[in-house]
Amino acid sequence: MTKSITLGGKGSSLTSAAVFQNANRLAEVRIDSSLIDKLSSSSSSSPSAAKKNQNHELSRYQISFPDFITLEESRASMVVLLNKLILSGVVIRPRLVDLFAEILNLGIGEGRGGLEVGEIEVTDEERRVIESCLGTMDGICGILDHEATELVGVIDAVAALSCEAVKADVTGFGSLDLGDGFSVKSEAAVGRDLRVLLNGSKLVGKVEVGAVLDVPSVHGSLREAVKTMHSKARVEFNSGVRGGKEGNWQAWSIVLMPLAMTLRYLGESSLGRGKLNLGSIAGGGASMSLQGLLEEEIANANEKLVDGFKSVSDAALFKKHAKFLHTVNGLLSLVRRAISLEMVTA
């Protein structure tokens, strides 16, 4: 049975998980019937709306996305755009809301289908809302929020496997929360979780490993960055349009630059442990051949991480808004690859 995301209903809100699900064609968009009735009533009974319908013709408008934007990212942006149209406070024609929902629901549950919007007819007010939303591509932040949250739930367990693989000294994890009020809560929480994961393990040892010692700091920073991003996404996705044609760009960049920096260090730290894991492997023949392949993969992943972060920095520096979000999303994908390599080597 296909999942559905309800927009426009009383008390309904758009979550990052819902954005991700529709962007990947895992859930369809459903418009609450009460909203359609409300929009129909507003369009016909409002004096200002009636005047506009009489004196102002609809104009043709082409919705388009930059060439570098992926299908997933464009779909996510359309979901957020639809919700912001609903919440905009301007007179929106029911037909436009239905049209966007129909476009987003093409190929749902079948793992196929593009995003064919083409030219549409819009009023001046509808055009302003659309241009503001597409100026920032907020929907990409929904993908980032969802996938980064999922990553937080995995990385501690993978790091624990590496601790065992290299027989690392993990006693330091117990000294992160001294109870004196001066500990970093997120780091202390990571330390506690790692102690639980490694409780009773006979494989950890007494080897001091830098790539292990920095786990609480790096993983704790990611938890903080994701928490901030999640709060921001919840507000932005469920509020009307803010800012001009470029939307609320500055607010997003302030939230996402720390995330990008943390992702870079997370990826480097994870690849460092992966390399150490390979060094602990004993054997020959086929195992040595596999080890060589993994070493090459780790080296390539490291280079891509550096290039990925440079792309993020350049996009932020020159205020290329959509490019910035796209490159942060790409950096997250590279980090996920790094984590998978660490898990394989552990």
Side-chain angles (χ1 to χ4, degrees):
M1 182 178 178
T2 303
K3 294 182 180 179
S4 63
I5 303 163
T6 302
L7 300 180
K10 185 177 180 180
S12 64
S13 62
L14 182 62
T15 65
S16 293
V19 172
F20 177 85
Q21 288 168 359
N22 184 265
N24 288 277
R25 296 177 291 254
L26 301 174
E28 65 179 8
V29 171
R30 188 179 73 84
I31 306 300
D32 193 275
S33 58
S34 64
L35 173 70
I36 299 299
D37 293 340
K38 179 181 177 182
L39 293 177
S40 299
S41 175
S42 298
S43 298
S44 60
S45 62
S46 168
S48 60
K51 184 177 180 180
K52 287 180 180 179
N53 289 335
Q54 292 172 4
N55 301 329
H56 183 72
E57 294 183 358
L58 297 173
S59 60
R60 306 291 293 179
Y61 181 76
Q62 175 73 51
I63 291 182
S64 60
F65 301 94
D67 292 339
F68 55 81
I69 292 295
T70 66
L71 175 59
E72 178 191 35
E73 291 170 342
S74 59
R75 287 183 59 87
S77 297
M78 280 291 291
V79 176
V80 175
L81 166 59
L82 175 55
N83 201 49
K84 282 188 173 291
L85 272 171
I86 293 170
L87 298 171
S88 64
V90 303
V91 177
I92 303 295
R93 293 166 300 124
R95 174 56 190 149
L96 184 63
V97 173
D98 284 335
L99 175 63
F100 282 3
E102 290 169 9
I103 292 170
L104 286 167
N105 289 339
L106 289 174
I108 291 295
E110 300 175 15
R112 61 175 180 80
L115 187 67
E116 301 296 332
V117 183
E119 273 195 342
I120 59 174
E121 291 186 331
V122 295
T123 65
D124 287 343
E125 287 183 324
E126 291 168 346
R127 178 195 295 268
R128 282 193 291 271
V129 175
I130 293 171
E131 287 181 342
S132 179
C133 292
L134 296 184
T136 50
M137 306 288 289
D138 284 4
I140 300 177
C141 298
I143 300 172
L144 281 168
D145 183 22
H146 177 78
E147 294 194 336
T149 300
E150 295 277 310
L151 194 63
V152 166
V154 172
I155 54 177
D156 290 348
V158 175
L161 291 174
S162 292
C163 290
E164 294 182 325
V166 299
K167 301 188 182 304
D169 181 2
V170 297
T171 55
F173 294 157
S175 61
L176 295 171
D177 188 359
L178 302 177
D180 57 3
F182 291 103
S183 59
V184 179
K185 289 184 179 180
S186 58
E187 293 182 17
V190 172
R192 286 194 298 271
D193 291 344
L194 286 169
R195 291 203 307 275
V196 171
L197 289 168
L198 294 168
N199 184 38
S201 173
K202 304 297 183 182
L203 298 178
V204 293
K206 296 184 178 181
V207 180
E208 188 171 300
V209 181
V212 169
L213 293 175
D214 68 10
V215 168
S217 174
V218 176
H219 290 200
S221 295
L222 182 65
R223 291 188 184 192
E224 292 177 355
V226 169
K227 182 179 179 180
T228 301
M229 176 174 59
H230 185 71
S231 298
K232 183 67 178 173
R234 186 174 65 247
V235 172
E236 290 296 328
F237 293 170
N238 296 286
S239 60
V241 174
R242 303 184 186 191
K245 192 172 182 178
E246 294 180 343
N248 200 20
W249 153 250
Q250 287 184 335
W252 274 122
S253 63
I254 291 170
V255 169
L256 294 180
M257 273 307 296
L259 173 68
M261 181 67 78
T262 302
L263 287 173
R264 176 194 174 182
Y265 288 132
L266 174 63
E268 290 178 348
S269 176
S270 181
L271 291 172
R273 289 190 296 276
K275 191 173 181 179
L276 290 171
N277 292 342
L278 287 176
S280 67
I281 297 175
S287 64
M288 292 298 292
S289 177
L290 176 60
Q291 184 174 346
L293 288 173
L294 288 172
E295 286 176 348
E296 185 177 351
E297 281 285 329
I298 288 174
N300 290 336
N302 237 326
E303 291 180 8
K304 290 179 180 178
L305 268 178
V306 173
D307 292 340
F309 184 74
K310 185 177 183 300
S311 296
V312 171
S313 300
D314 288 346
L317 179 63
F318 295 105
K319 297 184 178 180
K320 298 178 180 179
H321 312 325
K323 188 74 171 180
F324 173 69
L325 296 181
H326 171 74
T327 52
V328 176
N329 193 31
L331 182 63
L332 176 56
S333 296
L334 293 174
V335 172
R336 291 171 63 193
R337 173 61 177 163
I339 299 298
S340 68
L341 285 171
E342 179 187 358
M343 183 167 59
V344 169
T345 58

